[in-house]
Amino acid sequence: MPSRAPELARREVLAGAAASGLAALAPPFRPALAAGTARLRLLETTDVHVHLLPYDYYRDREEPTVGLARIATLVARARAEVPNCLLLDNGDFLQGNPMGDWMAYERGLSEGDVHPVMAAMNAMGFDAATLGNHEFNYGLSFLEKALAGARFPVVLANLARGRLAGTARRDTTFLPPWVILERELVDGAGQRQPIRIGVLGLTPPQIMVWDKAHLEGNVRARDIVETARARVPELREAGADLVVLLAHSGIAAVAPEGAENASLHLAGIEGVDVILTGHQHRLFPGETYEGITGADAVAGTIGGKPALMPGFWGSHLGVVDLVLARDGGTWRVVESRVENRPIYERVDRRVRPLVEPDPAIAEGAEAAHRGTLAYIRRPVGTSRAPITSYWALLADDPSVQIVSNAQIWYVRRMLEGGPYAGLPVLSAAAPFKAGGRGGPDYHTDVPAGPLAIGNVADIYLYPNTVRAVLVDGALVKEWLERSAGIFNRIDPAGGEQALLDPRFPSFNFDVIDGVTYAIDVTRPARYDALGGLVDPTAERIVDLRFEGRPIDPRQRFVVATNNYRAAGGGSFPGLDGSNIVLEAPDTNRDAIVRYIQELGTIDPQADGNWRLAPTTGRARLLIELGPGARAHLAAAPLPLEEAGTTPEGFVRFAFRLG
């Protein structure tokens, strides 16, 4: 078992009146230390999503790019380099792959049980953690049972039990809002010096929308920045020498009240020393964040303060090195450096692990691993054709088609005999695994033949529940205009141009089945990547038809979707929870399983209900896909020409819309 550095004496003080890409190139950080100065290292993990082992349960094979077991090896090395060391997790550890679903839906937790994620984090010696948005996907009861097994404090400041109080400091929080970790640092003269490190947790307030069914009436979320402004002074008053924010929130230039990605705006709060971020599944420092005012994408600072985001699924260990000086009885930061240490590298299109898994973590997860393998290998039916998502952002696609078929089948049955039974049922579904920020292997790729639960989990990634909303034809068009923002505007007379906006996640690219339409990417987008209306006159959706005729803007439809989208997730126009007409008890994934079981054998060929509108001109468009796409080029909806590879391992394909 990895051991904690002996120089750090351990004692937590829970408080609060309301509480009930640059790593490989970075040279060693060896600052000169004198008496009264000391080095403190903060280690961060984030968005692990139950990836304990280097294994891809969707493809049922080893996967060297993920896993807390390899991170544990990096943690041991980092602790050996710097004795004054803290290990912190930034949330989204409880849900995200079939092991999480197996634990929540099959294995369950009885009194005294320790969730395998908690067991691994205990073994690694985490000092503190906060909750991400996905911790709430399985409900509060399961969450509390899982957290009961943690041998480290878990803090969260912006979620209150019951109603919000008049001010953030008066909220009765779901978890302690913060913790003060009392430690001893060894200074440059070899003397032990006490330090009190305050750690405060924050999560996106959008959890009240995304997991409304679990949370409404039980808890309430508060704005991230408002909460930090109130609680940081409280931490300082309680004697914290250093304040570290565990913000499960990304970095964005604009953060209005209630913003999901507000980390940049936390830096301006007096008393904050370090901001550990997450949620966006990216690397900071890194080129993704170049050009954002206030964020130094090279030095790794926001608002001049050290900040970090270490990838996802255990891809990187974040490291913040601080030099602290004793100043008037307290400590202040005089120097800092941040880096993200990867567990793998890509060499000549191949992945090469940089570290081996920690044996103690791997052995500790073995029983859960075996249970998960049995769960994912359970057969449910047969597919006559492959189910892939490589072409999902170019044309209608089998991986989205099977979801839509199942959702329409399920919702029609649920509406039988009710007031909406006579209305046409459409389906909105998105390609969850379409490369992008998930990496080149992040595609659905299920061969023809037997289908198991693991294949269904590969097709439908999240444990959403089925919802249906009542809309009119005008809103159907607006829904599609929001989705069409994923495409860059293309100049037909231009040369090579990237088709996709990398800021737009594919899970917000809804395809609506039951209507037919084309998307004209030469026109401006009506909505931006975050769902903001940027051009009310823009229209990319053309030739929108229902049953072969132009859609009637006043005609009523029922659209099958999920709880996330129906309640407002993704900032889609007209979707705020007020027009939900069906709240089903089953997950979308369960609906797909039942649909497959009902038919026995499925033929998931896409019906081609949407397409990219052809253009004239010489524009040569580029799209980056995983290398697995090469095996399916015969099924590509357009003639594609390979145009090189990226350092991340994507294959770049070129094509024309002629």
Side-chain angles (χ1 to χ4, degrees):
M1 179 183 300
S3 60
R4 188 180 301 278
E7 287 81 1
L8 278 175
R10 179 177 178 83
R11 183 161 69 91
E12 284 87 16
V13 180
L14 291 175
S20 309
L22 297 175
L25 303 177
F29 184 65
R30 298 192 180 98
L33 300 177
T37 62
R39 182 178 176 185
L40 174 65
R41 170 168 282 181
L42 305 176
L43 306 176
E44 182 196 1
T45 58
T46 191
D47 296 277
V48 172
H49 287 287
V50 208
H51 288 82
L52 300 184
L53 302 177
Y55 203 87
D56 184 342
Y57 293 106
Y58 301 117
R59 297 187 178 184
D60 201 356
R61 70 184 191 190
E62 297 287 334
E63 175 51 64
T65 67
V66 305
L68 201 60
R70 280 199 165 95
I71 290 291
T73 301
L74 290 181
V75 168
R77 291 182 182 180
R79 284 173 170 156
E81 294 166 358
V82 178
N84 303 324
C85 204
L86 295 179
L87 177 60
L88 307 168
D89 183 82
N90 201 29
D92 273 8
F93 48 77
L94 205 59
Q95 181 278 337
N97 73 14
M99 183 183 286
D101 292 346
W102 175 74
M103 282 299 304
Y105 300 135
E106 294 270 324
R107 169 65 172 78
L109 288 172
S110 301
E111 186 175 353
D113 288 347
V114 179
H115 193 287
V117 170
M118 294 294 98
M121 294 174 75
N122 289 339
M124 290 174 64
F126 273 80
D127 291 275
T130 193
L131 302 183
N133 52 293
H134 283 287
E135 262 67 70
F136 300 95
N137 289 170
Y138 301 130
L140 293 176
S141 176
F142 183 81
L143 173 58
E144 290 179 307
K145 289 177 182 176
L147 294 180
R151 295 204 301 264
F152 50 88
V154 182
V155 294
L156 186 61
N158 66 321
L159 187 68
R161 291 189 184 272
R163 296 182 178 181
L164 296 176
T167 64
R169 286 179 68 158
R170 297 179 62 188
D171 287 342
T172 301
T173 50
F174 176 71
L175 294 175
W178 45 261
V179 63
I180 291 180
L181 305 174
E182 293 199 350
R183 300 290 190 265
E184 287 185 338
L185 302 181
V186 179
D187 70 10
Q191 299 299 310
R192 294 180 179 275
Q193 302 277 4
I195 186 170
R196 292 163 58 87
I197 305 161
V199 179
L200 184 145
L202 300 159
T203 203
Q206 284 73 18
I207 59 174
M208 298 304 304
V209 172
W210 299 335
D211 278 301
K212 179 180 179 180
H214 294 311
L215 304 184
E216 190 173 47
N218 298 307
V219 293
R220 292 289 298 175
R222 190 180 285 275
D223 175 75
I224 287 173
V225 177
E226 174 195 358
T227 302
R229 284 197 182 113
R231 292 291 190 175
V232 168
E234 184 180 46
L235 257 175
R236 290 293 187 179
E237 291 163 14
D241 297 308
L242 191 74
V243 171
V244 178
L245 299 187
L246 277 179
H248 191 84
S249 179
I251 301 169
V254 179
E257 184 177 354
E260 175 183 353
N261 296 306
S263 290
L264 178 65
H265 303 272
L266 294 171
I269 298 173
E270 186 176 353
V272 172
D273 294 295
V274 180
I275 304 166
L276 303 182
T277 77
H279 184 55
Q280 288 177 315
H281 289 210
R282 295 171 181 164
L283 293 173
F284 183 82
E287 61 183 13
T288 302
Y289 296 97
E290 290 178 354
I292 296 180
T293 301
D296 190 324
V298 176
T301 61
I302 54 179
K305 297 175 181 179
L308 195 64
M309 187 187 298
F312 61 101
W313 300 350
S315 63
H316 294 74
L317 175 67
V319 181
V320 179
D321 281 312
L322 304 173
V323 176
L324 306 175
R326 192 82 167 164
D327 188 5
T330 187
W331 294 90
R332 61 183 176 87
V333 178
V334 296
E335 189 177 352
S336 67
R337 193 185 74 164
V338 304
E339 60 174 315
N340 284 307
R341 298 184 177 184
I343 65 169
Y344 70 95
E345 65 179 358
R346 293 186 183 274
V347 180
D348 297 329
R349 300 184 181 180
R350 295 188 178 183
V351 174
R352 185 175 75 88
L354 296 175
V355 291
E356 292 301 314
D358 183 286
I361 304 303
E363 291 168 12
E366 183 59 29
H369 177 60
R370 291 197 304 269
T372 304
L373 290 178
Y375 170 71
I376 66 168
R377 292 168 179 171
R378 189 180 306 163
V380 293
T382 303
S383 175
R384 288 197 182 99
I387 305 172
T388 68
S389 66
Y390 294 108
W391 323 121
L393 302 178
L394 289 175
D396 201 19
D397 168 82
S399 70
V400 177
Q401 188 71 56
I402 183 62
V403 174
S404 283
N405 291 350
Q407 288 182 171
I408 291 173
W409 171 85
Y410 180 93
V411 167
R412 279 177 176 164
R413 288 190 168 200
M414 295 293 284
L415 295 178
E416 285 178 2
Y420 305 105
L423 293 179
V425 178
L426 311 179
S427 173
F432 295 134
K433 299 178 69 177
R437 66 181 188 175
D441 297 324
Y442 196 57
H443 292 275
T444 295
D445 193 343
V446 179
L451 292 173
I453 286 177
N455 300 133
V456 177
D458 189 4
I459 296 164
Y460 202 101
L461 195 61
Y462 302 105
N464 299 133
T465 51
V466 179
R467 296 287 186 272
V469 294
L470 181 64
V471 304
D472 58 21
L475 187 54
V476 169
K477 183 176 185 299
E478 207 69 13
W479 193 327
L480 292 171
E481 291 286 358
R482 161 72 175 111
S483 294
I486 196 170
F487 301 108
N488 291 322
R489 187 179 185 183
I490 300 302
D491 178 4
E496 288 192 344
Q497 301 166 66
L499 176 67
L500 303 177
D501 181 346
R503 301 169 299 173
F504 196 117
S506 65
F507 60 73
N508 279 337
F509 178 66
D510 276 358
V511 172
I512 296 186
D513 225 303
V515 294
T516 59
Y517 56 96
I519 302 174
D520 188 342
V521 295
T522 67
R523 298 182 179 185
R526 190 176 179 91
Y527 293 90
D528 64 19
L530 298 178
L533 182 61
V534 292
D535 188 346
T537 65
E539 291 186 87
R540 282 186 159 181
I541 303 301
V542 296
D543 198 23
L544 176 59
R545 294 174 177 268
F546 173 67
E547 294 184 340
R549 296 185 296 274
I551 197 167
D552 182 348
R554 297 167 297 178
Q555 180 171 352
R556 296 200 306 167
F557 299 90
V558 172
V559 181
T561 181
N562 58 53
N563 61 301
Y564 172 79
R565 184 71 77 239
S571 299
F572 276 65
L575 300 179
D576 59 5
S578 62
N579 53 354
I580 295 174
V581 295
L582 171 66
E583 295 190 21
D586 298 304
T587 68
N588 298 70
R589 192 181 297 162
D590 287 338
I592 298 168
V593 168
R594 292 183 189 181
Y595 172 72
I596 295 171
Q597 289 174 328
E598 174 90 1
L599 297 182
T601 299
I602 62 169
D603 188 0
Q605 299 289 343
D607 61 16
N609 73 296
W610 78 272
R611 68 193 190 283
L612 294 174
T615 66
T616 58
R618 303 177 59 185
R620 189 169 186 253
L621 306 187
L622 299 173
I623 189 170
E624 295 176 0
L625 302 171
R630 293 186 175 113
H632 299 278
L633 280 172
L638 297 163
L640 299 177
E641 175 187 345
E642 192 166 328
T645 59
T646 72
E648 297 79 17
F650 287 98
V651 179
R652 187 176 287 116
F653 290 97
F655 63 97
R656 300 183 190 278
L657 289 176

